[in-house]
Amino acid sequence: MIFSRITGLGYYVPDKIVTNQDLTQMMDTTDEWIQERTGIRERRYFEYGKDTNASMATAASRQALQRAGLQPGDVDVIVYATITPDYFFPGSAFLMQRELGLETIPVFDIRQQCSGFVYALSLADQYIKSGMYKTALVVGSEIQSSWIDKSTAGRSTAVIFGDGAGAAVVQATSDPSRRIISTHLHADGRFAEELYVRDPGSSRPDRPVTQELLDSGGFNVHMNGNAVFKHAIQRFGEVIYEALKANNLTEKDLSLLVPHQANMRISEYVRQQMGLDPEQVINNIQRFGNTTAASIPIALTEAWEDGKLNDGDIICLAAFGSGFTWGSALIQW
């Protein structure tokens, strides 16, 4: 049988550090208010003229490929998750493909918000197990600082988001002891407007962007925080246990949980409900904020760099985000 496994990890975050104290100069907030509600102390913002969504993804991908002992030309397919592409179209996957010097290989742009990396990993896993491709590059990359509302009116979301990119090389293997065991994906569009950016949308009269539209606030993030929190703590636990149950495992078999970095309170709630020790759950939201599709690969890469991923470990990736969308991936490292 053909399986797939992660053979290389990499990430890139911009140099510009924005602390909670920095945000107090832009909006009516405090370091205490932000940390109490999110656990975040600082985040990274891209630098115009230096960083793009695709350039960050390229840097993360080059690192992942180097660690896998591969060259860009070894890649058969790219699956790229982002909600903040450089262009309305084409997607940033095409731009990264160009930066890597690749030609003709297929690329996928997927927009699954905070679950983007898990969805992308699942797609790569299925393609490899089918025998269609042998090496996939799976990427999550976001530039969110350029469109969030940094005024007091937008502070409930502005304090959360940061910029960054993470990547994983996924390759075919015949070794069942080191593989992506299973992935589990879900969505529920009934709650699409609980966390969304309405504009620019195509279903508008005449030209999509007008001054009236700009003044309406439709380009800002709108979030029903209570609804998102309520669903997140439910779905996180459900999809983690779904993965364990599908493979006749329990939380006692789990070595490490790498959750999407949405909110420290959510991660802590899930940890306590599962009876996991603090060191079993990877959290870096304190330093990077919520980087949406990039958060899991950044956190997974840091865990690898810190020596927390050992051969044979059972690792679970889990995410929940706008859509609503949620998913998990169980990996035997």
Side-chain angles (χ1 to χ4, degrees):
M1 291 184 65
I2 301 174
F3 306 100
S4 65
R5 61 174 290 221
I6 295 173
T7 59
L9 292 165
Y11 80 98
Y12 173 92
V13 290
D15 293 330
K16 184 178 180 181
I17 298 173
V18 178
T19 67
N20 292 346
Q21 190 60 41
D22 292 329
L23 293 183
T24 66
Q25 310 304 309
M26 308 176 196
M27 63 191 74
D28 182 13
T29 190
T30 65
D31 174 63
E32 292 77 17
W33 187 89
I34 298 170
Q35 289 206 50
E36 179 183 347
R37 287 161 177 78
T38 68
I40 299 168
R41 296 194 300 267
E42 60 187 40
R43 71 287 293 146
R44 302 296 181 99
Y45 281 2
F46 91 116
E47 295 182 54
Y48 180 73
K50 177 184 178 183
D51 302 312
T52 68
N53 189 304
S55 74
M56 296 195 309
T58 301
S61 296
R62 288 192 185 280
Q63 186 180 65
L65 286 165
Q66 186 271 326
R67 288 170 169 175
L70 300 176
Q71 298 296 320
D74 297 316
V75 176
D76 299 317
V77 62
I78 295 170
V79 190
Y80 191 123
T82 186
I83 59 168
T84 56
D86 294 299
Y87 303 145
F88 193 80
F89 70 86
S92 290
F94 297 89
L95 309 183
M96 188 187 80
Q97 180 196 41
R98 181 174 64 191
E99 290 199 30
L100 288 173
L102 300 177
E103 296 179 2
T104 74
I105 69 165
V107 301
F108 292 86
D109 267 82
I110 67 168
R111 191 164 62 169
Q112 302 305 120
Q113 297 72 251
C114 297
S115 300
F117 184 79
V118 174
Y119 267 72
L121 187 67
S122 182
L123 287 173
D125 179 45
Q126 306 312 314
Y127 272 121
I128 289 174
K129 288 193 295 189
S130 75
M132 188 168 184
Y133 302 119
K134 293 183 178 180
T135 301
L137 189 55
V138 181
V139 181
S141 183
E142 306 286 3
I143 288 179
Q144 303 176 116
S145 60
S146 59
W147 54 265
I148 53 178
D149 179 4
K150 302 185 186 72
S151 71
T152 298
R155 67 179 176 181
S156 62
T157 53
V159 301
I160 297 172
F161 295 106
D163 305 337
V169 176
V170 183
Q171 292 187 275
T173 180
S174 59
D175 184 358
S177 68
R178 302 187 69 187
R179 63 187 174 103
I180 297 172
I181 302 172
S182 62
T183 58
H184 307 266
L185 309 177
H186 299 278
D188 192 338
R190 292 177 298 166
F191 304 99
E193 286 77 26
E194 301 291 12
L195 175 53
Y196 80 129
V197 176
R198 182 175 180 269
D199 296 308
S202 62
S203 54
R204 308 286 183 271
D206 302 321
R207 298 188 61 159
V209 180
T210 64
Q211 189 60 49
E212 181 181 1
L213 196 60
L214 291 171
D215 294 339
S216 72
F219 287 83
N220 297 330
V221 181
H222 295 272
M223 179 173 68
N224 181 343
N226 289 335
V228 173
F229 186 89
K230 177 182 176 181
H231 282 268
I233 59 175
Q234 175 187 348
R235 298 305 191 184
F236 259 108
E238 284 179 356
V239 82
I240 294 168
Y241 279 112
E242 178 184 357
L244 293 171
K245 184 178 179 181
N247 295 284
N248 298 312
L249 300 172
T250 72
E251 60 268 36
K252 298 185 186 303
D253 298 300
L254 198 60
S255 304
L256 207 64
L257 172 64
V258 185
H260 162 57
Q261 304 295 298
N263 186 305
M264 182 65 83
R265 291 191 299 157
I266 294 174
S267 295
E268 184 61 14
Y269 178 88
V270 172
R271 182 192 72 78
Q272 292 179 3
Q273 290 296 303
M274 296 188 67
L276 300 175
D277 295 331
E279 59 269 20
Q280 288 181 276
V281 181
I282 300 299
N283 289 300
N284 63 6
I285 192 172
Q286 308 94 317
R287 294 180 291 112
F288 298 133
N290 179 343
T291 55
T292 306
S295 79
I296 286 179
I298 292 174
L300 188 62
T301 302
E302 285 204 317
W304 178 81
E305 290 176 343
D306 292 340
K308 295 180 180 179
L309 306 183
N310 301 303
D311 291 353
D313 281 354
I314 302 296
I315 298 162
C316 186
L317 316 181
F320 175 89
S322 168
F324 286 144
T325 174
W326 62 101
S328 64
L330 203 64
I331 300 168
Q332 186 164 9
W333 199 261

